Amino acid sequence: MTYIDKQYDVVVVGGGLAGVCAAIASSRNGVRTALIQDRPVLGGNASSEIRMHICGANMHGTRENARETGIIEEIQLENRKKNPNHSFSILDTILWEKVNFQENLELYLNTRMIDVATNNNEIISVSAHQLTTEKDFLFKAKIFIDCTGDSSLAYKAGANYRVGRESKDEFGEQFAPEQADHYTMGNTVMFKAIDMGGPVPFEKPDWAYTFTEEDLKYRGHSAVNNKLEHYGVDSGYWWIELGGTDNTIDDAEEIRDELLKTVYGIWDHIKNGGEHGAENYTLDWVQFLPGKRESRRIEGDYILKEQDLLQGRVFEDAVAYGGWPMDMHPPEGFKHKGKSTDFIRVPLYTIPYRCFYSKNINNLMMAGRNISASHMAFGSIRIMGTCAVGGQAVGIAAAMAIGYNCMPREIGTHIKELQQKLLKEDCYIVGYKNKDKADKALGAKVIASSETDKGKAINVINGVARMVEENVNCWISDAIGNDGEWIELQLAGQQEIKEVHIKFDSALSTEISTTLSDVVRSNQIQGLPGTLAKHYAIQIIDRDKVIYTHEIKHNYLRHNKHQMPSGVYGDKVKIIIYTTQGVGEARIFEVRVY
């Protein structure tokens, strides 16, 4: 076999949201990065192949100010702007666009990792085959990141990993089972049905199963949306889940076949097994690539546990956060005669850096559902919003490791630098704030055209870029007039100004992800968050004279970085907001000046 040699600083394997965010973060921090994805599209469970909406710590908008920011927020706002009608195919395109046109990043779609070469507990290379071109590649890099979900890279490299449920005694987890086993959560196949406006018959395939109302008594299955479960036949059903008592990797093909037999049997019951309000509905789409919840979890220097989540623990090496409940599906899945999940609520918690690199393969990092966690903690960290912010943390850490010419573990000695880089890039870490010594704004005097009692102008330099409990942490003006509302940072004397970073308010208590579900969609805001600034300008002022102005008329992003031309010196930075995407007042969480 003849390989095409490829050399990079960082190679990311797996193009779900964790892998996408890891690859973008790594490349934006100046290192040559490759993203290898074995599917024709990016996004993993959020892609058009599976069509799952992005859940996260805000719990479908029921927890205030908890939505994930950073690269995933950038993607979601881009998607909301360009894809208001919730097309998963358009989301595929937006993800491809973000990756394909990113400087320092090369994308390999339809490319399956075949083998891994190691030496002295380090990965030397990864070989891969691209189905569409019949090309074989040999990828070499200093750092490899496993975002495969199944920990396929780690498994082939000989990394320590776990499968299944730990016993209650192993980590002292009160909700864990009494005895350890190899059971996992199962895989799911969903479907979408549409109302045709008149009766549509359905004839069950002879290979599909038959179900009675008794079989489905624990599973809501009316064509009318169930507001408790967020799913009707427009996006049914996450509880069509099997394989947790099998092996979700080894038995994946058989599990898919069983799921298809189950889906069509359930649809037959909905259509022909009594009154379910589905007379006018027909199947429009049936998922053929099952959505996978759980398989291998890679062991890191720390294993995140149930107690860490229940206590809302803030780690000294925290680099990401979560807040979705420990969402514990029974291994029997659909065959379980009882509740389809056990929802154990947790406060916001942090995830330590030690969960994101391998315990025994020195140059292997991981992000996504395969990070170092117990089965109980996994029940929460597996959610895509949480996976995405972990991916960004890993991507930045990998770039730092390249810069320091060290292994990922050694970045632990630079943890404060990593945390400050994450905050700078609009990632949220519970309990941490901006202390970047290079940020000239932190020493500025701040004035504004107006401010509210809670929304003081000084909030833009208090180090926290979102509302936390009762702390608004945001400048909020009075109603915007014809001349706009402004905020001004008066610096400590004349200084060269190279960059101005602004974090606007994108309504982090709301939900904005693309979804199949009419119920989820009906609970979302329409269009872009109204709190975002739309038309604004940045002015650099020197001794009361405006020497530079940059105007933005159609903003839709939360985090904006503005680079100044070389040689711009000033003693003040002024931001004028003329219009927003909806609300009547100007709102800014943070301004940084470099």
Side-chain angles (χ1 to χ4, degrees):
M1 184 177 292
T2 301
Y3 288 106
I4 301 170
D5 288 336
K6 294 289 183 178
Q7 183 74 49
Y8 296 93
D9 296 311
V10 174
V11 168
V12 181
V13 183
L17 290 182
V20 165
C21 292
I24 292 173
S26 171
S27 58
R28 286 182 179 177
N29 279 268
V31 301
R32 293 194 66 241
T33 305
L35 175 58
I36 304 170
Q37 164 71 332
D38 62 358
R39 308 300 304 177
V41 292
L42 297 165
N45 283 354
S47 75
S48 62
E49 293 189 300
I50 296 176
R51 307 189 188 186
M52 183 63 192
H53 44 232
I54 300 169
C55 296
N58 71 341
M59 296 169 53
H60 287 298
T62 61
R63 171 181 275 142
E64 292 188 345
N65 306 297
R67 193 170 76 231
E68 292 78 10
T69 48
I71 292 172
I72 188 61
E73 176 77 347
E74 177 185 331
I75 290 169
Q76 295 238 63
L77 289 171
E78 190 95 28
N79 182 58
R80 178 52 67 110
K81 167 72 173 177
K82 299 177 179 178
N83 185 22
N85 296 317
H86 293 259
S87 165
F88 279 89
S89 292
I90 300 302
L91 176 56
D92 289 344
T93 307
I94 288 167
L95 291 170
W96 169 81
E97 179 184 59
K98 276 288 177 192
V99 171
N100 198 55
F101 296 102
Q102 172 62 50
E103 186 179 357
N104 293 323
L105 178 56
E106 293 185 3
L107 173 63
Y108 297 83
L109 290 175
N110 299 297
T111 304
R112 178 70 175 175
M113 178 188 64
I114 302 299
D115 204 0
V116 179
T118 62
N119 184 42
N120 292 328
N121 294 324
E122 290 183 20
I123 299 173
I124 304 303
S125 64
V126 165
S127 59
H129 177 77
Q130 191 169 55
L131 182 65
T132 49
T133 64
E134 298 185 355
K135 293 177 180 177
D136 295 289
F137 298 99
L138 190 67
F139 293 95
K140 296 179 181 179
K142 297 178 181 178
I143 303 290
F144 291 84
I145 305 175
D146 189 329
C147 298
T148 62
D150 285 336
S151 305
S152 302
L153 171 58
Y155 176 74
K156 290 178 180 292
N160 294 349
Y161 68 92
R162 290 173 172 250
V163 175
R165 305 185 294 182
E166 291 85 3
S167 69
K168 187 185 297 286
D169 292 338
E170 181 168 357
F171 296 128
E173 296 175 308
Q174 62 174 313
F175 294 108
E178 293 293 336
Q179 299 296 324
D181 56 45
H182 283 85
Y183 290 170
T184 64
M185 300 185 203
N187 300 349
T188 283
V189 162
M190 298 195 298
F191 64 87
K192 179 178 178 62
I194 55 175
D195 188 341
M196 301 301 292
V200 181
F202 175 76
E203 182 176 342
K204 186 185 75 164
D206 57 9
W207 45 260
Y209 292 132
T210 298
F211 298 107
T212 66
E213 198 67 24
E214 177 67 19
D215 295 327
L216 299 175
K217 70 179 182 180
Y218 296 107
R219 309 286 188 267
H221 55 281
S222 169
V224 179
N225 283 298
N226 182 332
K227 291 191 176 183
L228 294 177
E229 297 193 11
H230 294 279
Y231 293 87
V233 294
D234 58 303
S235 56
Y237 292 107
W238 60 262
W239 47 257
I240 302 177
E241 175 182 0
L242 294 170
T245 57
D246 301 311
N247 185 309
T248 56
I249 297 174
D250 292 351
D251 304 320
E253 293 291 296
E254 292 81 1
I255 293 169
R256 181 209 54 228
D257 292 349
E258 287 297 299
L259 284 165
L260 289 171
K261 295 174 186 177
T262 302
V263 163
Y264 280 90
I266 289 171
W267 183 243
D268 172 62
H269 175 77
I270 291 171
K271 289 288 291 184
N272 303 319
E275 180 52 51
H276 297 98
E279 182 181 9
N280 295 348
Y281 282 84
T282 188
L283 286 176
D284 180 61
W285 170 78
V286 176
Q287 178 184 334
F288 229 82
L289 177 67
K292 189 178 290 185
R293 291 181 178 83
E294 183 179 7
S295 50
R296 307 181 187 105
R297 306 186 303 278
I298 305 166
E299 288 190 0
D301 279 351
Y302 185 81
I303 296 175
L304 195 69
K305 305 171 187 64
E306 170 192 294
Q307 300 94 315
D308 299 324
L309 277 59
L310 292 172
Q311 296 167 10
R313 187 170 175 186
V314 176
F315 289 89
E316 289 187 4
D317 62 337
V319 293
Y321 77 100
W324 184 263
M326 287 186 286
D327 187 358
M328 312 309 296
H329 294 215
E332 301 83 3
F334 173 67
K335 296 179 181 179
H336 177 68
K337 303 303 180 184
K339 290 194 305 181
S340 50
T341 188
D342 190 9
F343 230 45
I344 305 168
R345 295 184 181 272
V346 299
L348 292 185
Y349 59 87
T350 64
I351 307 174
Y353 177 64
R354 289 163 291 160
C355 292
F356 291 103
Y357 58 85
S358 168
K359 182 178 182 178
N360 67 309
I361 301 298
N362 296 328
N363 62 341
L364 174 63
M365 306 184 77
M366 57 274 195
R369 62 179 173 87
N370 60 354
I371 68 169
S372 184
S374 71
H375 172 79
M376 290 303 304
F378 165 85
S380 173
I381 60 93
R382 64 187 176 86
I383 300 301
M384 281 187 281
T386 308
C387 293
V389 295
Q392 184 166 357
V394 167
I396 292 177
M400 286 178 60
I402 298 300
Y404 279 110
N405 192 28
C406 69
M407 291 299 173
R409 178 179 283 110
E410 296 170 68
I411 293 300
T413 63
H414 305 281
I415 195 63
K416 293 188 186 303
E417 180 184 352
L418 174 57
Q419 290 165 337
Q420 288 302 312
K421 282 179 177 288
L422 287 164
L423 294 173
K424 183 178 180 180
E425 296 302 321
D426 198 26
C427 294
Y428 178 57
I429 309 174
V430 179
Y432 288 81
K433 61 171 56 180
N434 174 24
K435 296 182 180 179
D436 186 352
K437 293 179 180 179
D439 180 9
K440 302 175 190 293
L442 290 179
K445 178 182 178 181
V446 186
I447 61 173
S449 54
S450 65
E451 61 184 15
T452 62
D453 288 341
K454 290 188 175 181
K456 299 293 186 182
I458 195 69
N459 287 343
V460 301
I461 60 169
N462 76 357
V464 182
R466 66 171 63 202
M467 184 173 179
V468 178
E469 297 177 348
E470 299 304 316
N471 299 311
V472 173
N473 298 321
C474 183
W475 167 56
I476 305 173
S477 75
D478 293 339
I480 299 174
N482 292 334
D483 296 328
E485 289 288 319
W486 55 264
I487 188 168
E488 184 177 277
L489 281 70
Q490 300 175 353
L491 306 178
Q494 186 194 61
Q495 302 182 48
E496 184 177 11
I497 298 172
K498 297 181 178 180
E499 295 183 12
V500 176
H501 297 193
I502 308 171
K503 296 184 178 80
F504 293 111
D505 183 354
S506 57
L508 298 179
S509 294
T510 61
E511 187 175 30
I512 59 173
S513 65
T514 292
T515 180
L516 286 177
S517 170
D518 288 340
V519 169
V520 173
R521 198 176 306 142
S522 68
N523 290 331
Q524 294 186 3
I525 59 172
Q526 298 299 310
L528 290 161
T531 48
L532 282 169
K534 180 179 181 181
H535 179 194
Y536 69 96
I538 299 172
Q539 294 180 344
I540 307 301
I541 301 169
D542 187 35
R543 287 165 287 189
D544 297 325
K545 181 181 178 181
V546 176
I547 62 166
Y548 176 81
T549 300
H550 182 55
E551 190 171 359
I552 299 90
K553 293 186 176 180
H554 300 287
N555 175 61
Y556 55 87
L557 295 175
R558 166 184 157 89
H559 186 206
N560 288 269
K561 298 179 182 179
H562 299 283
Q563 292 194 347
M564 306 297 120
S566 60
V568 173
Y569 286 80
D571 54 21
K572 296 174 186 174
V573 175
K574 188 174 185 178
I575 301 165
I576 308 167
I577 297 181
Y578 299 105
T579 63
T580 71
Q581 293 289 351
V583 302
E585 72 278 359
R587 304 174 71 96
I588 296 178
F589 273 112
E590 184 174 77
V591 179
R592 295 185 180 217
V593 180
Y594 294 96

